[in-house]
Amino acid sequence: MLPLLLVYTAEYTINQAVAPTLLFPLASSPFPSYRSFYPTYQLTYQAGVFLSRSSTPFIRIHALYAPSLLQCLNLLFLVAQSMYAFLPNVWCVLAVVFWEGVLGGLVYVNTFAEILEREGEGREFCLGAVTVSDSAGVCVAGMVGVGLEGMLCRWQVRRGRDWCTRI
């Protein structure tokens, strides 16, 4: 339950609060406007989710804390990118966002696969508890995101990057 809560909290904090601030100069990007970054990030993220949620016939992960902690590192890395703009271009961010989707999908599908492999009466309870943990992760991320996105945008504006105000 905790791995899914962690992965969803980190994942949806990235998607709701950090991704809208991961912007680059338009002249060095493939996009015509700043509004184009976010939908592209979300499409890339969903491609990673789709790939990993389709992977259980080929790859099974039983140690679910590892990808959950990697997702938390993704969150910290992308917050740092939003603040300090150290990556050279949007393609690097797209690679990290794809990886974010892969990790989130792996934890999701393998959590349910672990539960379905269990025998006994507790399986139904586990399914319900896990469903609550992913919803709780999204809810926590929403609450964190309310303040985080504005903070990141203000940080960027104070350092001469006002792109987040042009969306």
Side-chain angles (χ1 to χ4, degrees):
M1 204 163 100
L2 186 59
L4 200 58
L5 176 72
L6 283 174
V7 84
Y8 266 69
T9 300
E11 191 171 332
Y12 279 82
T13 301
I14 292 169
N15 291 344
Q16 295 173 10
V18 181
T21 67
L22 297 172
L23 304 169
F24 291 85
L26 290 177
S28 66
S29 82
F31 305 119
S33 72
Y34 290 110
R35 291 185 59 76
S36 300
F37 283 84
Y38 186 75
T40 305
Y41 291 149
Q42 293 312 299
L43 175 65
T44 304
Y45 158 76
Q46 290 296 339
V49 170
F50 176 78
L51 178 72
S52 61
R53 284 193 183 181
S54 305
S55 68
T56 52
F58 313 106
I59 300 170
R60 276 300 313 272
I61 301 202
H62 300 282
L64 298 173
Y65 281 99
S68 297
L69 295 175
L70 287 173
Q71 193 74 295
C72 293
L73 290 176
N74 276 349
L75 171 60
L76 295 175
F77 180 80
L78 290 173
V79 166
Q81 167 59 27
S82 176
M83 294 174 73
Y84 300 109
F86 52 86
L87 292 175
N89 56 50
V90 69
W91 303 108
C92 297
V93 173
L94 287 167
V96 175
V97 168
F98 181 79
W99 177 239
E100 171 204 353
V102 167
L103 290 173
L106 279 176
V107 172
Y108 181 87
V109 75
N110 283 288
T111 297
F112 283 100
E114 289 288 320
I115 292 169
L116 293 176
E117 288 177 354
R118 292 184 182 197
E119 302 278 333
E121 295 178 21
R123 191 161 77 172
E124 287 79 16
F125 173 78
C126 288
L127 286 170
V130 164
T131 302
V132 168
S133 70
D134 74 5
S135 298
V138 174
C139 186
V140 169
M143 289 185 280
V144 169
V146 165
L148 182 60
E149 181 183 358
M151 192 252 352
L152 291 172
C153 185
R154 286 187 301 277
W155 173 278
Q156 291 176 357
V157 169
R158 284 194 303 271
R159 282 150 185 81
R161 293 182 290 138
D162 69 342
W163 308 319
C164 59
T165 64
R166 299 187 211 172
I167 296 177

